[in-house]
Amino acid sequence: MTPPPRQFHGSQPVDVESNAAARDRELGMDREITRRDFLNGAAMAIGATSLPAGAFIQFPGEPQNRAGYNPPASTGLRGSHSGSFEIAHALRDGTFWETARKPAQLDEHYDLIVVGGGISGLAAAYFFRERTGQNARILILENHDDFGGHAKRNEFHLGGKLQLLNGGTMLIDSPTPYSQQAASLIAKLGIDPVAFAKKYPLPALYSSLGLGSAIFFDKQTFGEDRLVAGAPADWGESDRPATKESQWKQFLQSAPLSDAIKKDILRIETGSADYLPGLTSAEKKDRLSRLSYKDFLLNIVKADPGVIAFYQTRTNGEWGVGIDAEPALDCWALGLSGFQGMKLDPGPAMRMSYSAGGYSTGGSPRFHFPDGNASIARLLVRELLPDAVPGRSAEDIVTARVAYDRLDLPERQVRVRLNSTVVRVQNVTAKEGGNAVLVGYVSGDKLYEVRAAGCVLACWNMTIPYLCPDLPQKQKEALHYLVKVPLVYASVGLRNWHAFHKLGVHTIQSPGAYWDSTALNWPIDIGDYKSPRSPELPILVHMSRTPCKPGLPAREQHKAGRLELLITSFETFERAIRDQIARCLTAGGFDPARDIEAITVNRWPHGYGYEYNPLFDPEWPRGEAPHEIGRKPHGRITIANSDSGATAYTDVAIDQAFRAVSELLDA
Ligand SMILES: Cc1cc2nc3c(=O)[nH]c(=O)nc-3n(C[C@H](O)[C@H](O)[C@H](O)COP(=O)(O)OP(=O)(O)OC[C@H]3O[C@@H](n4cnc5c(N)ncnc54)[C@H](O)[C@@H]3O)c2cc1C
């Protein structure tokens, strides 16, 4: 047997394997917590590419009808979980139909089949029924084990008490005010974001306890591990007053950065220089739209190159790529620094992304449910199937327990069928036996076929060419253009938050580390749901990772990140979670082996809908952008999802559903 590799530190041989094992023990990798799936994510993903045709994942029986079925409470690898994507990947790889079995014809007839049970698909069902009446028969097919799509609920019972976090879509918030259709839909669901934000404000709990923001400087990027508390709270607001200078000076004093870098960060954050003198506001905006924020800092502000590591991930959360791939103008609109003295007129300009253009004029009202916009998905299902989701208000939805076994009953007009991957959607002409759409889907190890008068594809747009191979080539190419943004949101259950309290932090940004950010859950109370108020109590921590690859064009970064997620095992995510929290909070007495009680990793290889990026995408003539070509109706098939609005917001998902239903009914 080959001996394990050895490293030599001075004269002391160090056994790498046993060091790694010892570190794993310190981190608590061997501890019994609620975490691991039975199936390892990486093994499943690799298996998917070599999945023999017709070798379906086995799901005995109808999982959603089993007693105790409650996917939000599942831990381990969630988001696009094992079992949700393998069939779709086999379809993409061209292996699925090679040995696909003969489909079973279902004796079910629908007015509408919706593919995808995210907010867009659920909204499509809602709008269709609103237009056609309560007798409309609708089937919603969803490949995940839960409805909601990205609007995913993570449910924990820590210390016997319910605690919630969003596993994906976080809050009602959009660059532009909600359209009339989207606003009236959420009003009909009982949600008034403005009134709710007043009635259920985010309590000043953390600030009352002296907790604030911090930056974690990691050894690999900054030469040493150091948590520096007291990061200016308004980091990210462009019109900050000059009085913040003292705050920045104080914060930077403790940062492991050279004096030159500190001086330039201070200049970027609090200076008032006009870096493009002699140009009008419009000329400056045009110039800023043609270079990245990184280039702006290096070549216009002429900052020390060492500042880049500090700023690199500032845009990750918004766009899924760092400052190397985001235009400086968009960063100005999002409130990044360096523009204070440049006298840019407020408002949008030509060559801005959807988000930047919208936010530069204000944005929509904001409200956050404890499980994020999963509450919207659950309210939509309550509208469609009242006896499956108990309760009557947008407040009691937070603690309602869904009766999953009532989602797909033959006697109901609306049926929601989970764990069902659609593989074929085909128009059937009158000559072929009826003006209808034939939908093939896989559930368990079986292929089924079912008919409807029409179909809304509310699924991820890039899957559509595989479902509808007879689409025009130009439309298929347009659909492929939209590369979704990969993201990971982890929800980590802690026994208590003493360490956060002791160190005076509630949110930690980590510009160079594996996880971009680590934050105590927002302390929001609504209805019967109460957040933990004392550091003694268990709490959830939200961590996010953006697996981008700086230096590549944005869409290439998304593709590379997606691949990374598919080959990353839960164990790797878990180790990275334990390691990073431990390194951030050691001085506060945090012990990852003792203090971590549960982990859910929401892996989203196909996350945010693609938003055009002025640095990389051409300006298409009106009606000729890929999402506009891609969403064209195809016979009795129409196309929804936030992808077909070329952006990633809940209001857009609803608007696209409304359009797709109108196209179907008005054709
Ligand atoms: C991590 C994350 C955070 C976000 N945060 C916010 C936020 O705070 N606010 C906001 O407004 N938006 C946010 N978004 C954007 C979010 O995508 C939209 O708001 C909205 O939830 C999208 O809804 P959708 O129905 O269009 O798509 P999805 O939610 O993606 O739903 C589509 C569904 O179709 C299913 N599907 C795909 N192919 C098939 C098939 N062949 N057969 C059956 N089903 C299929 C998918 O699995 C999925 O469940 C976030 C997105 C992510 C990933």
Side-chain angles (χ1 to χ4, degrees), residues 115-121 141-144 148-151 168-171 173 373 420-422 458-460 463 467 487 489 604 607-608 641-642 648-650 653:
V115 180
I119 287 182
S120 198
L141 293 166
E142 166 59 44
N143 60 340
H144 286 82
H150 293 151
T169 308
M170 185 187 178
L171 72 167
D173 167 45
N373 289 2
S420 301
T421 305
V422 172
C459 53
W460 300 332
T463 65
L467 309 185
L487 294 161
Y489 279 9
W604 298 113
Y608 293 162
N641 194 282
S642 64
Y649 296 97
T650 293

Side-chain angles (χ1 to χ4, degrees), residues 238-447:
S238 55
D239 53 352
R240 74 179 53 82
T243 50
K244 290 291 181 287
E245 191 171 330
S246 58
Q247 223 182 328
W248 269 101
K249 275 186 179 158
Q250 200 181 347
F251 167 75
L252 287 169
Q253 253 176 18
S254 315
L257 301 169
S258 71
D259 286 347
I261 297 173
K262 288 181 186 176
K263 196 166 142 246
D264 275 353
I265 292 176
L266 194 65
R267 184 158 67 91
I268 292 162
E269 293 299 330
T270 65
S272 54
D274 183 348
Y275 295 107
L276 292 173
L279 300 186
T280 64
S281 167
E283 287 165 346
K284 287 175 189 171
K285 283 184 166 181
D286 183 65
R287 180 90 191 273
L288 293 172
S289 75
R290 295 174 193 278
L291 77 171
S292 70
Y293 185 62
K294 180 179 174 182
D295 285 341
F296 168 72
L297 294 181
L298 291 178
N299 303 324
I300 307 284
V301 175
K302 303 220 179 296
D304 185 300
V307 304
I308 298 304
F310 186 69
Y311 288 103
Q312 175 59 33
T313 56
R314 288 298 313 281
T315 49
N316 280 13
E318 183 64 36
W319 288 295
V321 285
I323 62 166
D324 58 296
E326 283 304 329
L329 184 65
D330 287 12
C331 294
W332 161 75
L334 262 281
L336 270 68
S337 305
F339 308 99
Q340 304 85 270
M342 294 188 65
K343 301 179 197 73
L344 297 173
D345 293 339
M350 300 292 285
R351 294 180 47 81
M352 270 182 129
S353 70
Y354 177 88
S355 292
Y359 281 126
S360 68
T361 59
S364 77
R366 271 184 135 207
F367 181 69
H368 172 69
F369 283 100
D371 60 358
N373 289 2
S375 279
I376 298 183
R378 287 152 59 86
L379 285 164
L380 276 164
V381 172
R382 180 190 274 169
E383 270 302 311
L384 298 166
L385 289 161
D387 65 350
V389 188
R392 309 174 68 82
S393 72
E395 277 104 334
D396 66 25
I397 197 71
V398 175
T399 47
R401 169 91 190 245
V402 173
Y404 283 87
D405 58 352
R406 295 196 193 155
L407 293 181
D408 188 11
L409 295 174
E411 64 272 24
R412 294 283 182 274
Q413 297 302 108
V414 178
R415 302 176 71 169
V416 181
R417 195 162 294 164
L418 303 171
N419 304 298
S420 301
T421 305
V422 172
V423 290
R424 177 59 55 89
V425 181
Q426 209 174 352
N427 285 298
V428 182
T429 60
K431 220 165 103 197
E432 291 162 331
N435 251 339
V437 180
L438 195 60
V439 175
Y441 72 93
V442 174
S443 175
D445 62 354
K446 292 205 168 55
L447 176 60

Side-chain angles (χ1 to χ4, degrees), residues 614-629:
L615 287 184
F616 304 104
D617 295 309
E619 287 172 62
W620 288 280
R622 209 177 162 76
E624 286 296 308
H627 71 290
E628 294 168 311
I629 295 171

